[in-house]
Amino acid sequence: MKTKVKFITAWFGSHYMNYFDKWVTSLQRNAEFDFLVVGNIKPNIKLPKNVEYMHMDLMEFKKRLSNLVGFQVKISSLGKVAEYRPAFGQMFQRELQGYDYWGYIETDLILGKLSTFITDEVLSHYDQLFTLGHFILFKNDSEVSKLYKASHQLKNVATYRDAFRSNAFHRFDDGGISSIVKSFGKFKVLEWPEIIADIDFRVFPFKMINDENPRIFAYVDGHLVGYHCKNGELSDKKEFLYIHLQKRRMESVTRDTNFVIVPNKFLPLKSLTDKDMIKKSQRTPLEWKAPKNQIRLLNNFNFSNIIWFIKKRFNIHDNGKLKH
């Protein structure tokens, strides 16, 4: 692959998730792509050649971003950092020198073989690839990288000033930035949702947001394959770009680099032929509970969001005066 691509992940906190090693394995097996992990926790495993760690604490992150946009940004929680990812093209401009595309990804993914889908030919036609905040790519040029700053009057879409000055969540890193890029008309955006295994966290079985049929997944030699499963039988084999395990507590039963992914565990690859295991993997355990207060839209409906909505709806300045 001739096109150079670099993904950035920002992670601040006290620890990585317990399957961080599997996330890194899925990065390593995409040697055609480079990855930069920015955060305050140095990984406790050896990183492969295509994965770089850059130490930065949260205060330094906030200062760097505030200097870039010219005002003090708000970081009310570690999750708020995600809203600032559309600015990474400018914020990490030095680290992205020499790359044709840049993007951001989350750490609750297992990547499949990216080059199966993201090819030189595909990249040559688009300014943005994918529109979900856990995995987005942009063309690395000055015009595209500053689109997050664009002024607009889009309904229910915050401007970067609204999003960055607020403690509330505005989904600026997925629906927000994608709507802004599309609104210009001249920039080409590829969504391609059918190759993404975006798992619904509100139910135990692996049901994708765009597919109600339960699946299990196998990660084999860098490829991520999903199967529909019914009565212990597997069917409809399909390869995916990645699986998004959002808000899932996952137990790692195997250290193998090839494995099966069921709704709460990583299992040895041989489990794929175990019909009883497949049946069991689809039964919701009695102790399982859907994550509370984690549905982003519900969780975000707070006082700050109400104030932002009123200002947006009635065209009011921060000083309380109507805009003309």
Side-chain angles (χ1 to χ4, degrees), residues 62-72:
K62 183 178 180 180
K63 181 179 179 181
R64 190 166 180 171
L65 180 58
S66 296
N67 289 340
L68 172 65
V69 297
F71 57 83
Q72 286 295 311

Side-chain angles (χ1 to χ4, degrees), residues 234-295:
L234 301 180
S235 63
D236 190 27
K237 179 180 178 180
K238 180 180 177 180
E239 187 166 0
F240 289 90
L241 182 71
Y242 64 85
I243 182 172
H244 185 207
L245 299 169
Q246 60 176 324
K247 302 175 180 67
R248 292 247 169 194
R249 294 180 181 272
M250 300 292 293
E251 180 184 355
S252 193
V253 179
T254 178
R255 292 187 177 182
D256 294 344
T257 53
N258 292 328
F259 44 85
V260 172
I261 312 173
V262 297
N264 60 349
K265 295 178 182 178
F266 297 97
L267 298 172
L269 191 58
K270 64 182 181 181
S271 304
L272 200 61
T273 58
D274 186 338
K275 289 187 178 182
D276 289 336
M277 182 284 300
I278 294 170
K279 288 181 182 179
K280 185 178 180 180
S281 73
Q282 301 308 306
R283 300 184 195 128
T284 304
L286 291 175
E287 68 274 12
W288 187 83
K289 294 181 180 179
K292 292 182 179 180
N293 300 321
Q294 292 296 315
I295 300 177

